[in-house]
Amino acid sequence: MTTTENPTTPTTEIGRDRRRKEDRRLITGRTQWTDNKALTGLLHMAIVRSPFAHANVNAIDTSAAKQVPGVVAVYTAADIGADQVQLPCAWPITKDMKSPQRPALAGSRVNFAGEGVAVVVARSAAIAKDAADQVEVDYEQLEPVLDMEDALKDGATLVHPELGTNQNAQWIFDSGEAGSGGSLTEALQKAESDDDQIVVRRRFRQQRLVPVFMEPRSTVVDPSGEQLVMWSSTQVPHILKTMLALTLGLPEHKIRVIAPDVGGGFGGKLQVTPEEVVTLLVAQKLGKPVKWTETRSESLLSAHHGRDQIQDLTMSVTKDGQITGLGVELLADMGAYLGLVGPGVPVLGAFMFNAIYKIPAYRFDCTNVFTTKTITDAYRGAGRPEATFGIERMMDEVALELGMEPMEFRKKNWIRNDEFPYTTVSTMTYDSGNYEAATEQAMQMFDYDGLRREQEERRRRGDVKQLGIGISTFTEMCGLAPSRVLGSLDYGAGGWETASIRMLPTGKAEVVVGVSPHGQGHETAFSQIVADQLGVGFDDVEILHGDTQSSYRGLDTYGSRSLVVGGIAIVKAAEKVIEKAKPIAAHMLEASEGDLEFSGGRFTVKGTDKGVGIADIALAVFAAHDYPEGIEPDIDAHATFDPENFSFPHGTHLCAVEVDTETGMVSMYKYVCVDDVGNVINPLIVEGQVHGGLAQGIAQALFEEAAYDDQGTLLSGTLVDYTLPSAADLIHFDTANTTTASTTNPLGVKGVGEAGTIASTPAVVNSVLDAIRHLGVKDIDMPTTPYRVWSAIQKASGTAGRGDEANIASPGAGLGSTASDISKGDTQGGHL
């Protein structure tokens, strides 16, 4: 998979293809993951987890486990007070939001399969795990709550009886009430009574997904020093430190959190986890260091999941293709409890359902629901992939109803290049963009018209393998920031970010950042920024991060904010370094400050070649023998940046698939994407981020689903059942970039970390449906596995009678069927 190469080599660091600095230690195995951490006297912890989705815990017998050689202790929630420790939710989206108490370890009741009820501490991880199997728990099973619509009905079993409802919150945005557009009710009433308009209603399903980061979660706690030190595979060391202090009543200055190299997160490590809290409590009780590292099955079972929404969309449109209104009704599954930002994830989508389109009336109505499943929270894109999927699926559906070509319908409604900045019906102000340029380039690379002709030829011939073409034209709000905006949404933190630059006597630079990487390439991209800003060598910059003692202030990494917020903080810090160095340079050059220019790492006197480098100034400051009166010998600088707006990358993604109409097998045929992420710091890193995002978005469309049976047991609890794509399942991606610089930051950059995931899922699903829609297939739930595709074709053709149903699993077996497909096949008499 390759991208369009830069035609020229840039003379600056910014824009240069630099191999990642951090990769050498990562790929040679010389890094230190959390699980590699070894301390004197280290003990290991295993967690006893409930096999039931909903049950009372009548008794726990730990006696057998305590007798296992090598076991140091066995604790229930009551033994360490874990049932009294309530884990935090930082996003109360409404004032009347129902927020259940979430214990770090369950006491009298469990509310999802995988919830911890006891812990075993032993001298090795293997002993702890074996002993955990000896803990006997007396459960009294209760009725599970699994279906969101059923959960809201009168008389439904309650996940948390003390709340009196399974509804967490209802959050509504209405453009008529907000003054950002007209009334949707009026728009729909007019459309339904107007012969020149139609109203289209569709339901879409966002399945449950698991982040499946490469490195499982792991935590080590050492309570023995002056500070309590926690190493954790986390995206949010600073937030974790603050939340531990607030949750446990510990003095914050006595807590140090270290995120060493973190092997992926995708939102799945944006959490204050029960395991982190319990590991800390156990370490404190024993007065010894304790480590917990999950197995892959534990991760799939109990680490938070993503997505899981029912989307009901209504669109009114004139018969010549002009959108007049959009309504969105969501049901969002929170799972059994609330995660750190879980309630707000679907709310983020409220601002993106209108996408790149001019929509005069809009209403978004989201209801969050409790079920007896693992909690949901942020997963790569967090709310924006869900919104993009809904609107881009809807654009295809409405185009079909109008008899319009789907790309032409989009073009008729999108925001034109000459209309920026543009304030949308959902109140977002898009500062820049050029949807026409990205789309035109994508269509040329894709050979859109040629593939449409090939599609028609295959249909005419009645080929077994039919060709489908899918479109996704998208934008997203990223760089999760402005603090005032987040405050207006009742988010529990700000959106600023910090950076410090320390100029060393030898002219090297140490840069301390508040964002914490887990695979993005921060050390490389940030070094490039500093090299250009200060004129130091790329290899002379060291990026320090992830340790709350050295990087004492920050808001961490999520929401594609590292570059557009953290990177700009670095720029601001560099500007301060230059300003602090300027009077010292003037003194050294015996010139006026007003006569100096700074470029390429040197101050020069205007109109002369007389100058002094930043490295010379750093050494002079270190010596402090001769510097101006009233100036402190220090050019180090710290800056905090709080953006005025989000950034809005956009792009056009085009996908072609082949669908085997006899087996339901979907094969990728061609994929082209042209993204606009503003000015590019490192094209190689951008390419990698796009490729990774595409893989995850395509996986949602074709492969992945966290599936439960009717008792709330996770069916996809291993990577045999939870299907991830390999390189062999994907194809060459043709990628390119157009550039419209952001106007809200000095680098002109936009985010890229989530773009591929956001855009690709609807492009793929639209292509699958496009391949077989002429056979009568109207919709297929994700993932579009061979089983589901074949079943849809059979149902549409009227050939799926009872005899066919008996063998319905067969076409999909071994070809990407999910656990839910297998379960359905079994219940229908399948014989896998």
Side-chain angles (χ1 to χ4, degrees):
M1 296 180 287
T2 58
T3 189
T4 305
E5 296 181 357
N6 279 350
T8 59
T9 301
T11 57
T12 60
E13 278 296 333
I14 290 179
R16 184 187 295 268
D17 276 331
R18 281 282 193 181
R19 291 188 178 182
R20 302 196 321 173
K21 284 184 173 184
E22 46 272 79
D23 283 351
R24 181 175 294 275
R25 70 175 184 273
L26 294 173
I27 65 178
T28 58
R30 290 184 291 173
T31 189
Q32 283 287 311
W33 312 108
T34 301
D35 190 48
N36 295 133
K37 191 67 183 175
L39 300 172
T40 302
L42 181 66
L43 300 174
H44 299 263
M45 188 179 81
I47 299 176
V48 180
R49 299 186 181 275
S50 169
F52 301 114
H54 204 198
N56 290 325
V57 179
N58 294 330
I60 302 177
D61 185 352
T62 62
S63 57
K66 289 178 179 178
Q67 300 304 312
V68 175
V71 168
V72 174
V74 183
Y75 298 126
T76 64
D79 295 327
I80 54 173
D83 54 345
Q84 301 303 312
V85 176
Q86 304 306 322
L87 297 180
C89 173
W91 202 339
I93 59 172
T94 63
K95 297 187 184 303
D96 61 350
M97 183 180 87
K98 302 293 185 181
S99 185
Q101 301 294 299
R102 185 189 181 191
L105 207 61
S108 60
R109 190 178 73 236
V110 292
N111 290 314
F112 69 95
E115 187 167 9
V117 297
V119 296
V120 176
V121 187
R123 303 197 183 281
S124 76
I127 293 172
K129 184 178 183 301
D130 288 344
D133 292 337
Q134 302 300 313
V135 175
E136 296 185 3
V137 184
D138 178 13
Y139 294 101
E140 177 190 347
Q141 281 189 258
L142 304 172
E143 184 179 358
V145 181
L146 304 173
D147 182 273
M148 285 188 278
E149 291 180 303
D150 288 345
L152 295 176
K153 293 177 180 177
D154 291 340
T157 298
L158 297 179
V159 182
H160 303 284
E162 67 276 12
L163 300 181
T165 179
N166 285 322
Q167 179 174 304
N168 159 244
Q170 184 180 24
W171 193 93
I172 297 173
F173 174 86
D174 190 306
S175 64
E177 295 177 2
S180 58
S183 163
L184 177 66
T185 300
E186 293 177 3
L188 294 180
Q189 288 174 345
K190 182 178 179 181
E192 287 169 342
S193 62
D194 187 344
D195 290 339
D196 292 326
Q197 293 192 54
I198 63 170
V199 176
V200 180
R201 293 178 173 85
R202 293 291 187 271
R203 168 168 285 201
F204 306 121
R205 189 74 170 87
Q206 283 276 327
Q207 79 270 39
R208 265 186 181 245
L209 302 173
V210 185
V212 196
F213 23 73
M214 289 183 70
E215 177 203 15
R217 296 175 300 158
S218 183
T219 298
V220 176
V221 176
D222 185 358
S224 60
E226 289 294 319
Q227 286 183 306
L228 184 148
V229 183
M230 173 183 285
W231 292 264
S232 186
S233 178
T234 181
Q235 296 175 222
V236 289
H238 297 90
I239 291 174
L240 178 57
K241 175 189 176 185
T242 300
M243 287 299 180
L244 287 173
L246 292 172
T247 301
L248 298 173
L250 299 173
E252 188 176 359
H253 64 294
K254 293 295 185 181
I255 304 172
R256 178 184 181 188
V257 174
I258 302 170
D261 282 319
V262 175
F266 312 121
K269 295 177 181 175
L270 198 177
Q271 202 62 250
V272 178
T273 69
E275 294 85 359
E276 287 164 331
V277 171
V278 172
T279 306
L280 190 156
L281 292 174
V282 169
Q284 281 186 317
K285 189 169 183 67
L286 293 173
K288 294 181 179 180
V290 176
K291 177 191 290 186
W292 170 80
T293 300
E294 69 183 352
T295 65
R296 181 60 67 185
S297 290
E298 274 186 296
S299 182
L300 292 165
L301 178 68
S302 60
H304 82 239
H305 295 170
R307 313 285 196 259
D308 205 347
Q309 293 182 0
I310 297 172
Q311 305 175 325
D312 288 306
L313 271 64
T314 302
M315 183 177 285
S316 57
V317 58
T318 63
K319 288 184 178 179
D320 64 355
Q322 202 71 48
I323 299 171
T324 61
L326 174 65
V328 178
E329 293 185 11
L330 288 189
L331 289 180
D333 192 340
M334 297 290 98
Y337 301 102
L338 299 178
L340 190 64
V341 297
V345 168
V347 170
L348 289 173
F351 304 100
M352 286 288 101
F353 268 96
N354 51 273
I356 68 171
Y357 307 113
K358 292 181 285 189
I359 298 175
Y362 171 58
R363 190 175 193 274
F364 174 92
D365 186 338
C366 174
T367 300
N368 291 345
V369 184
F370 291 116
T371 62
T372 53
K373 299 178 185 176
T374 302
I375 69 164
T376 61
D377 210 303
Y379 174 59
R380 197 171 190 171
R384 288 98 77 207
E386 296 92 312
T388 299
F389 180 83
I391 187 62
E392 287 302 294
R393 284 284 296 108
M394 196 65 174
M395 295 301 286
D396 264 26
E397 292 294 313
V398 175
L400 180 71
E401 294 292 334
L402 293 170
M404 291 184 69
E405 205 281 333
M407 184 64 84
E408 290 306 311
F409 178 49
R410 287 168 167 83
K411 289 180 179 181
K412 194 174 185 68
N413 288 280
W414 68 29
I415 303 159
R416 298 190 312 271
N417 179 43
D418 58 7
E419 294 179 292
F420 290 96
Y422 185 90
T423 299
T424 72
V425 72
S426 64
T427 73
M428 292 286 102
T429 298
Y430 298 169
D431 62 311
S432 66
N434 191 332
Y435 310 141
E436 298 98 315
T439 302
E440 182 179 356
Q441 185 170 346
M443 291 180 73
Q444 289 177 358
M445 293 170 59
F446 192 68
D447 186 19
Y448 187 88
D449 292 338
L451 285 174
R452 283 292 185 199
R453 288 192 295 270
E454 181 180 346
Q455 179 185 54
E456 287 302 316
E457 290 171 5
R458 291 197 191 197
R459 289 183 179 179
R460 179 178 51 80
R461 294 193 304 261
D463 288 2
V464 170
K465 290 188 176 181
Q466 288 291 305
L467 186 67
I469 296 170
I471 303 168
S472 176
T473 52
F474 85 104
T475 189
E476 60 148 327
M477 53 185 279
C478 66
L480 194 62
S483 295
R484 291 183 180 87
V485 174
L486 295 178
S488 71
L489 296 172
D490 298 311
Y491 183 71
W496 49 263
E497 199 46 76
T498 68
S500 299
I501 298 178
R502 303 195 293 241
M503 293 303 301
L504 304 181
T506 56
K508 317 300 183 186
E510 289 180 338
V511 183
V512 183
V513 295
V515 290
S516 179
H518 44 281
Q520 292 87 344
H522 289 181
E523 294 175 29
T524 303
F526 290 167
S527 293
Q528 291 177 270
I529 293 171
V530 174
D532 275 3
Q533 293 292 313
L534 296 180
V536 298
F538 170 77
D539 291 320
D540 292 338
V541 182
E542 188 74 15
I543 307 297
L544 305 176
H545 57 79
D547 184 337
T548 62
Q549 187 151 286
S550 59
S551 172
Y552 63 91
R553 194 164 184 259
L555 284 173
D556 306 316
T557 298
Y558 39 85
S560 298
R561 68 189 305 271
S562 295
L563 177 60
V564 296
V565 189
I568 307 306
I570 292 173
V571 171
K572 298 295 184 183
E575 291 172 350
K576 290 184 177 181
V577 168
I578 294 167
E579 285 303 307
K580 291 180 74 172
K582 194 171 189 178
I584 301 172
H587 179 78
M588 295 173 69
L589 294 169
E590 298 180 335
S592 167
E593 288 185 45
D595 291 334
L596 296 186
E597 296 176 324
F598 183 82
S599 178
R602 287 178 60 81
F603 286 98
T604 56
V605 179
K606 294 176 183 177
T608 75
D609 59 0
K610 184 180 180 181
V612 62
I614 195 79
D616 299 319
I617 298 171
L619 184 60
V621 166
F622 172 72
H625 294 161
D626 183 20
Y627 59 93
E629 291 292 335
I631 300 293
E632 62 181 359
D634 174 24
I635 59 171
D636 297 348
H638 175 88
T640 299
F641 176 67
D642 197 345
E644 63 185 69
N645 195 4
F646 299 96
S647 72
F648 297 96
H650 69 82
T652 297
H653 288 225
L654 301 174
C655 176
V657 299
E658 287 184 319
V659 176
D660 189 317
T661 57
E662 292 182 347
T663 67
M665 184 67 183
V666 178
S667 301
M668 299 289 291
Y669 187 73
K670 190 169 187 177
Y671 198 100
V672 167
C673 62
V674 177
D675 288 298
D676 187 329
V677 298
N679 293 330
V680 173
I681 303 299
N682 185 319
L684 197 61
I685 289 177
V686 167
E687 178 186 358
Q689 288 288 297
V690 170
H691 282 179
L694 291 177
Q696 285 186 280
I698 292 167
Q700 178 176 7
L702 297 179
F703 300 104
E704 296 185 33
E705 182 176 30
Y708 288 85
D709 68 12
D710 59 5
Q711 294 302 306
T713 303
L714 185 69
L715 295 171
S716 49
T718 73
L719 292 183
V720 173
D721 310 299
Y722 188 87
T723 312
L724 292 177
S726 69
D729 296 304
L730 302 174
I731 59 170
H732 170 96
F733 300 140
D734 291 311
T735 69
N737 296 102
T738 55
T739 302
T740 53
S742 172
T743 63
T744 60
N745 66 72
L747 291 178
V749 294
K750 306 175 184 179
V752 70
E754 297 162 303
T757 303
I758 290 169
S760 57
T761 306
V764 174
V765 174
N766 280 339
S767 69
V768 173
L769 285 167
D770 187 58
I772 55 177
R773 199 185 293 274
H774 67 290
L775 301 177
V777 176
K778 294 182 178 180
D779 194 20
I780 304 173
D781 282 344
M782 293 188 291
T784 56
T785 59
Y787 161 75
R788 289 181 178 172
V789 174
W790 182 86
S791 299
I793 294 170
Q794 299 306 304
K795 182 178 180 181
S797 66
T799 61
R802 181 61 191 169
D804 294 308
E805 290 291 332
N807 297 289
I808 203 165
S810 180
L815 298 175
S817 297
T818 68
S820 61
D821 294 336
I822 294 169
S823 174
K824 189 180 293 183
D826 285 341
T827 59
Q828 295 172 333
H831 53 278
L832 290 176

